[in-house]
Amino acid sequence: MFGIAIGGTTLLASVTYGWWLVVLPVLGALTMGGALRMHPRSARPELVGALSFALLELNIACSVLVSGGGSSPLLPLLVVPVFSQAVCFRPQVTRVWVALSALAAVGAVTLAPLLPPVPAPSVLLQIVGYLALLSCLALAAQYLATADVNSRHDGVVDPLTGLLNRRALERHFAEARASAVRTFKGVAVVVCDIDRFKAVNDTLGHAHGDLVLQDVASRLVGAIRETDVVYRIGGEEFLVLLPGQGVEAAMTTAERLRAAVAASPVAGLTVTISAGVAGAYGGGVDLGRLTAEADRALYQAKNAGRNCVRSTDHAS
């Protein structure tokens, strides 16, 4: 997209400044094409990318030089490689590119009066130059925004099950606690894990174990309210955050979770879960304490024969 915008504008400028200006976008296209072919095979792909953008910057600076310098409609396009570097490289590298771009712009504007005078750019060419710059910046901004969203998504989502992870739990729990302090309502957690999951991995392999995890995760999500959230906090361990619920209501939810998993075969196997429940009210809501209480209740469920729910009523 960058190459099309810059190359198209330069080709249009050749109508005003001479057909030989076509040579510059052709050289730029050859440079970028060669860089794209070299990039996957290079031991230092970042250097290949930097070099290709450096040549693109030089290409644009030469185009500015021969099309009027400070009056050239191509002058604003010198910022495009700089903005592109911000997408690909660290801030320190971007600062170097800003300095090099400024140097290229000063050089092109300073040396342009030494060349024969050129016609003034047409209104159409000025508009096309602006639209080319706008499209390049919009594309780079969209890429940055998408990369940021994906990064934040990848940081809090478990890639196997699609559930949120422990990092997301900490942020959401802080919000639930603030609401509990403000309204003096309860917050409960259900910690559950898959019974004898190690045997699944040992006998059928990790690939089948992954199918079990995905199916169990789906069933847990399907058995809760819209305001509740399921997190994967360990290998086969899940936590369900229940804002606004006390232990008694959470026990009902935990039993519903247990029944949802045990209702039918999971990935072709008979699978069950055990669950531990803990809850607190108001200022007593603390993530570390509640998860520790729920873990102890979970061990009680395991010791009671598995496929059952136990609680430690922290609210009493």
Side-chain angles (χ1 to χ4, degrees), residues 21 40 47 104 106 134-135 144 146 154 214 231 245 271 302 314:
L21 195 60
L47 293 181
V106 170
L134 180 64
S135 62
L144 284 173
T146 302
D154 293 342
Q214 291 169 336
Y231 305 84
Q245 285 198 15
V271 174
K302 293 288 189 182
H314 193 83

Side-chain angles (χ1 to χ4, degrees), residues 222-243:
I224 58 175
R225 308 172 301 171
E226 290 186 358
T227 54
D228 304 331
V229 187
V230 182
Y231 305 84
R232 185 184 179 196
I233 59 173
E236 69 270 26
E237 191 172 19
F238 304 88
L239 183 146
V240 186
L241 177 62
L242 309 172

Side-chain angles (χ1 to χ4, degrees), residues 31-98:
T31 299
M32 296 301 292
L36 288 175
R37 286 193 296 270
M38 290 175 58
H39 193 274
R41 300 190 296 269
S42 174
R44 298 293 300 277
E46 70 280 4
L47 293 181
V48 174
L51 179 60
S52 64
F53 278 106
L55 293 176
L56 177 61
E57 186 84 359
L58 178 62
N59 186 297
I60 299 172
C62 291
S63 299
V64 171
L65 173 64
V66 299
S67 59
S71 64
S72 172
L74 305 177
L75 179 61
L77 295 181
L78 281 169
V79 308
V80 173
V82 177
F83 209 77
S84 304
Q85 295 305 299
V87 172
C88 305
F89 294 97
R90 297 187 301 272
Q92 301 93 316
V93 178
T94 302
R95 286 193 287 269
V96 173
W97 275 95
V98 169

Side-chain angles (χ1 to χ4, degrees), residues 121-193:
S122 66
V123 174
L124 174 61
L125 184 54
Q126 290 175 320
I127 292 175
V128 170
Y130 167 77
L131 293 177
L133 176 62
L134 180 64
S135 62
C136 288
L137 296 184
L139 180 64
Q142 181 181 14
Y143 180 88
L144 284 173
T146 302
D148 179 62
V149 170
N150 289 339
S151 176
R152 286 186 280 125
H153 179 271
D154 293 342
V156 299
V157 175
D158 170 51
L160 176 63
T161 62
L163 299 178
L164 295 173
N165 60 21
R166 189 182 295 272
R167 180 178 177 184
L169 168 63
E170 293 173 354
R171 183 171 70 247
H172 293 167
F173 191 89
E175 297 171 358
R177 184 184 187 283
S179 177
V181 171
R182 185 172 61 252
T183 62
F184 206 75
K185 290 185 177 180
V187 175
V189 298
V190 178
V191 175
C192 52
D193 74 1

Side-chain angles (χ1 to χ4, degrees), residues 187-190 247 250 276-280 289-291 293-294 297 311-314:
V187 175
V189 298
V190 178
V247 172
V277 177
R289 185 162 57 181
L290 284 182
T291 53
E293 295 277 356
S311 73
T312 299
D313 191 345
H314 193 83

